[in-house]
Amino acid sequence: MILRHRLRNAFHPRPGAPGRGNGPTARATDIILVMMAGLLVIAAIFKILQG
């Protein structure tokens, strides 16, 4: 519990930001970044296979 509390406080850019609002948005951005990276890898493989 203490580690979670410290991690949540470490990611707060503003002191007044709600803790519950930052968690889901961070996870959503991480998912979007992973999806974008996957699309780039798939596009690169497709171009290499096409020649």
Side-chain angles (χ1 to χ4, degrees):
M1 296 298 291
I2 296 174
L3 288 176
R4 286 184 181 179
H5 186 66
R6 286 185 181 175
L7 285 175
R8 283 184 181 177
N9 285 342
F11 284 111
H12 279 288
R14 304 171 187 168
R20 292 182 182 177
N22 276 348
T25 53
R27 291 176 189 170
T29 51
D30 287 344
I31 291 173
I32 292 172
L33 286 174
V34 169
M35 289 176 64
M36 291 291 288
L39 286 174
L40 285 174
V41 170
I42 291 172
I45 292 174
F46 191 70
K47 283 185 178 181
I48 290 173
L49 289 177
Q50 276 193 339

